[in-house]
Amino acid sequence: MTDLNAAKKYLEENGQEQVLGFYDELDEAGKQKLLDQIEKLDMSLIGLVEHNDETSERGKLEPLNAVTVKEIEKNGALYKEKGLEAIRAGEVGAVLLAGGQGTRLGYDGPKGTVNIGETRQLYIFECLIKNLMKVTDEAGVTVPLYVMTSDKNNDETVKFFKEHDFFGYPESEVSFFIQDMAPSVDHNGKLLLEEKDSLSLSPNGNGGWYASMAKTGVLEDVKKRGVKWLNIFAVDNVLQQIADPLFVGAVIDKDVVCGAKVVRKNDPEERVGVLCLEDGSPSIVEYYEMTEEMRTLRDEEGELAYAFGVILNYLFRVDELDRIVNEKLMTHVVEKKIPYINEAGEHIKPETPNGYKFEMLILDMIHLVKNCLPYEVVREHEFAPIKNKTGIDSIESAKELLRKNGVVL
Ligand code: UTP
């Protein structure tokens, strides 16, 4: 839609004329940039604001048994052997989800570049690479690492890895790929501008990671190398084990297409998404979607029946990802604080949520796969997420956990 008239018509049809409010002030490059963005717009997203119903009906929910810490202790040697075998055969790859904006942390830059060291520099990315290298050192082979970034943070992320020599990991094993963006709207569903020549665009959630791997071409590398399993993990959990041989081995041993690392809920009211069965298929159900009865239900051993919360560390079989890649994932309409320019052309940084972003979430992928093994890990050893500035899941709480696990800060 390099043509202004076509753009005008398209916006008018959708009640979004405000997007061209500053068009006449722009230079040629700015005009072109805006028209290109309008051309790529998916207006169907905006309709979702009106029908936003996050509490949609759930199917029949049932508990899903996990392979527990106890069982892992018992079968550890077998799982480890199977896992290492797959890793040594080059069948395991890792995918770092680093396209998010980390708005809760409020750090100006990619979250992975935050330094959490005290007596030395220790970056979040560095923690993750070191965790991965524990496995690759033991296995004696490297694991390809695919890093998802967004238009907002890709250049800075790549530069950071280069400046730090990939923290000792071979550069040839690391590929970056950029996820898609989605527009943001105000509470009335009107598209927001970030600049006079630019829509407010933000990464479209972590659910589209595999489709983005396909679209950007990095999937060819996965296929060329013969990678059969991908371990997906979030940027913010500095304690997590990546390409964990025991996890990989357990998933292979149980002959399933997917595994999810989970932690046991501290108490029935803990607000985490729980992995269970919905109409016979694996599914992650949010705290608020469960009845009081379900939250407190106990099994014969007196343990919570819906006990296992996900920590965003999954293992997927690649052929299963290929099977589901074209299935449509639900788009979530998420209320956020979105910087924008107002009608007077002033930059506004809101203190409270002022509109919506559109996101697809990886947790919805779990409902599409044939089966999924919840794999219990010890929270204190493997779960130290950095989400907030202070308090729960903050840099402070993560540091405390790192110290307890013997990491020198
Ligand atoms: P979060 O749900 O914590 O979102 O992401 P976020 O955007 O990073 O942080 P807030 O909510 O704005 O504070 C969980 C993981 O998914 C990645 C993040 O980088 C993190 O590793 N993610 C999230 C993406 O890769 N892309 C996205 O569009 C969103």
Side-chain angles (χ1 to χ4, degrees), residues 96-106 111 148-150 153 179-181 202-209 233-237 240 312 334 336 357-362 386-388:
L96 164 55
L97 299 174
Q101 289 183 288
T103 44
R104 281 170 287 174
L105 190 61
K111 201 188 258 190
M148 184 163 89
T149 60
S150 80
N153 67 13
Q179 69 174 103
D180 284 339
M181 304 292 271
S202 54
N204 69 343
N206 56 25
W209 64 274
F233 61 101
V235 72
D236 41 52
N237 178 7
Q240 68 192 314
L312 219 175
V334 195
K336 295 245 180 175
K357 291 185 178 181
F358 302 95
E359 293 185 344
M360 288 180 295
L361 301 178
I362 191 167
I386 297 177
K387 299 278 188 197
N388 305 309

Side-chain angles (χ1 to χ4, degrees), residues 296-314:
T296 52
L297 186 71
R298 304 258 166 194
D299 62 18
E300 308 90 72
E301 273 137 43
E303 302 284 0
L304 287 177
Y306 294 90
F308 296 107
V310 286
I311 60 169
L312 219 175
N313 188 315
Y314 302 101

Side-chain angles (χ1 to χ4, degrees), residues 176-356:
F176 297 89
F177 65 101
I178 300 177
Q179 69 174 103
D180 284 339
M181 304 292 271
S184 316
V185 295
D186 67 13
H187 281 133
N188 299 316
K190 296 283 180 192
L191 289 161
L192 291 167
L193 288 173
E194 184 176 78
E195 297 293 342
K196 291 180 177 177
D197 65 357
S198 180
L199 290 166
S200 165
L201 297 171
S202 54
N204 69 343
N206 56 25
W209 64 274
Y210 194 69
S212 291
M213 284 184 89
K215 197 169 152 185
T216 56
V218 292
L219 196 55
E220 282 164 29
D221 187 72
V222 172
K223 298 292 169 79
K224 205 172 68 203
R225 288 172 184 258
V227 170
K228 292 199 180 127
W229 297 94
L230 286 173
N231 178 205
I232 291 78
F233 61 101
V235 72
D236 41 52
N237 178 7
V238 285
L239 264 185
Q240 68 192 314
Q241 299 307 307
I242 300 152
D244 176 356
L246 277 100
F247 180 37
V248 174
V251 170
I252 292 174
D253 184 61
K254 302 280 179 190
D255 196 18
V256 285
V257 294
C258 174
K261 284 205 168 182
V262 293
V263 291
R264 203 174 274 274
K265 281 174 70 166
N266 279 332
D267 74 86
E269 302 308 321
E270 194 185 338
R271 293 167 180 265
V272 290
V274 164
L275 183 51
C276 57
L277 288 176
E278 178 179 2
D279 295 331
S281 297
S283 192
I284 294 164
V285 177
E286 293 297 342
Y287 164 86
Y288 55 83
E289 294 174 307
M290 291 170 60
T291 59
E292 179 67 22
E293 192 192 337
M294 284 172 66
R295 286 201 290 266
T296 52
L297 186 71
R298 304 258 166 194
D299 62 18
E300 308 90 72
E301 273 137 43
E303 302 284 0
L304 287 177
Y306 294 90
F308 296 107
V310 286
I311 60 169
L312 219 175
N313 188 315
Y314 302 101
L315 185 72
F316 288 99
R317 213 166 78 187
V318 172
D319 58 359
E320 183 68 356
L321 290 166
D322 288 337
R323 189 183 70 81
I324 65 169
V325 65
N326 292 322
E327 302 242 356
K328 204 159 167 45
L329 281 183
M330 170 183 177
T331 301
H332 296 258
V333 182
V334 195
E335 203 181 19
K336 295 245 180 175
K337 291 185 237 173
I338 307 159
Y340 68 105
I341 56 169
N342 64 14
E343 280 171 20
E346 297 153 343
H347 286 91
I348 309 287
K349 235 182 155 178
E351 299 288 323
T352 51
N354 60 318
Y356 303 105

